[in-house]
Amino acid sequence: MLRVRELEAFYGASQALFGMELGIDAGEVVTLMGRNGMGKTTTVNTIMGLLPARRGTVEFLGQRVEHLPSFRIARLGLGLVPEGRQIFPNLSVRENLVAAAANRLGANEPWTLARTFDFLPRLAERQRNMGNQLSGGEQQMLAIGRALMTNPKLLILDEATEGLSPLLRQEIWTCLARLKRDGQAILVIDKNVGALIKLADRHHIVEKGRVVWTGTSDALARDSDLQHKYLGV
Ligand SMILES: Nc1ncnc2c1ncn2[C@@H]1O[C@H](COP(=O)(O)OP(=O)(O)OP(=O)(O)O)[C@@H](O)[C@H]1O
C-alpha cells in the first residue's frame, strides 16, 4: 500500500532523512519508533508532502506521490492525525468533523458523522463544544475522528498518545485496536513500546533519519538489548 524508498529530506541546509525506507501492506498496523529528534515526524511530513523529498520515492497504492502537493496526497486516501492535533479551536466538535468529511474514493461503509459518534461516544457528548474547550484526550479523539471522516485508506498517527493520562491512552489504544480489527491500515508513532508491541504487526526503529531495524512484534518483544539501545526502555 505504501512504499518509501531511499527518502532524503532537508530543513534548509540541514539533512533530516538519510535514505528512509518503509513499507505498509493493506490491513497492516506498522510503527515508527525511536528517540526524540530521530526523524519520525519528518518522515510522516515528507510522505504527506508537507516537506519536499529531495531524493527517493514515496509510492502509495501504486502511484508515485513524492512530487504531489499535500492536498492531492491526502485525497488519495492518506489521513493524518498530526503531532499537536491541530484541530480548529473556534469550530465545534461537530463542525470540525463535518469540515473534514469526504468519501472521494467511494468507501462502501463510509465514516459518517453518525458512525464517528457511535465509534467515539465522547465526541457525541461534546459535539456542541468548541475545539478549545476540549481536554487533551478529547482533542486527540477529535483529531482521530476528523481523519476517519476523510475515509482514509491509510491512517497515520504522529504521537498517538503523547501528553495523555494512562486512562485516556488506553482508550486510544482500544480505539486503534478496533480499527485494526475492521481492516484499517495504520502507521503509528508513539513512545509506548509495550502498547505498540501489542497493537502492531511490524515495527521500524528510526535512528538519525534512517531505519536501523525492522521486524515483527514478537522479534521486538524478545530483544531487550535492542529496546534498550534504541528506545531507552
Ligand atoms: N522545522 C524544523 N527546522 C529545522 N530542523 C528541524 C525541524 N523539525 C525537525 N528538525 C530536525 O530534524 C530532525 C528530525 O526531527 P523529527 O521531528 O522528525 O524527529 P522525531 O523522531 O519525530 O522526534 P520527536 O519525537 O521529538 O518529534 C531533528 O534533528 C530535528 O532537530
Side-chain angles (χ1 to χ4, degrees):
M1 165 173 268
L2 180 76
R3 285 278 165 272
V4 171
R5 291 192 180 93
E6 297 180 22
L7 196 62
E8 295 185 7
F10 289 69
Y11 295 100
S14 161
Q15 186 164 2
L17 298 184
F18 295 82
M20 188 70 198
E21 301 267 337
L22 177 66
I24 304 174
D25 290 330
E28 260 194 323
V29 178
V30 166
T31 74
L32 287 181
M33 293 195 210
R35 292 183 219 263
N36 287 340
M38 290 303 167
K40 304 179 297 296
T41 296
T42 304
T43 301
V44 166
N45 287 346
T46 311
I47 291 170
M48 295 300 302
L50 298 167
L51 187 71
R54 183 77 65 89
R55 245 196 92 233
T57 59
V58 179
E59 198 180 301
F60 182 59
L61 299 172
Q63 184 175 343
R64 293 271 296 272
V65 303
E66 70 274 5
H67 298 303
L68 295 182
S70 190
F71 75 94
R72 291 211 27 220
I73 297 174
R75 281 183 185 176
L76 291 173
L78 278 167
L80 176 64
V81 178
E83 190 173 21
R85 289 138 203 164
Q86 297 172 23
I87 59 174
F88 297 116
N90 302 324
L91 294 186
S92 69
V93 165
R94 177 185 266 268
E95 288 164 342
N96 264 281
L97 293 171
V98 170
N103 185 20
R104 292 193 181 83
L105 305 168
N108 283 338
E109 290 178 50
W111 286 92
T112 58
L113 202 54
R115 185 173 168 207
T116 303
F117 283 155
D118 191 44
F119 182 67
L120 299 164
R122 259 167 199 270
L123 295 186
E125 288 163 25
R126 306 284 268 154
Q127 60 179 291
R128 284 180 221 299
N129 287 105
M130 293 294 151
N132 59 11
Q133 295 172 316
L134 303 180
S135 71
E138 289 164 347
Q139 285 184 21
Q140 186 65 345
M141 304 256 174
L142 178 54
I144 293 172
R146 187 180 58 178
L148 290 174
M149 290 284 286
T150 69
N151 287 285
K153 300 263 187 203
L154 173 63
L155 180 66
I156 303 182
L157 297 103
D158 190 358
E159 300 293 359
T161 67
E162 191 178 34
L164 304 185
S165 69
L167 203 65
L168 279 164
R169 280 186 187 172
Q170 195 44 54
E171 274 191 45
I172 301 284
W173 296 126
T174 305
C175 151
L176 295 181
R178 283 171 61 198
L179 290 173
K180 180 186 181 184
R181 229 174 18 238
D182 292 343
Q184 175 72 57
I186 306 174
L187 173 62
V188 55
I189 297 175
D190 198 82
K191 304 237 157 38
N192 194 325
V193 179
L196 290 176
I197 285 175
K198 271 195 221 147
L199 173 74
D201 302 297
R202 285 187 309 110
H203 309 270
H204 300 79
I205 297 183
V206 182
E207 177 92 350
K208 297 186 184 144
R210 60 169 71 89
V211 170
V212 290
W213 183 89
T214 178
T216 62
S217 282
D218 280 352
L220 181 59
R222 270 188 262 115
D223 198 336
S224 50
D225 287 349
L226 183 78
Q227 292 187 37
H228 182 70
K229 182 169 178 199
Y230 292 114
L231 307 173
V233 178

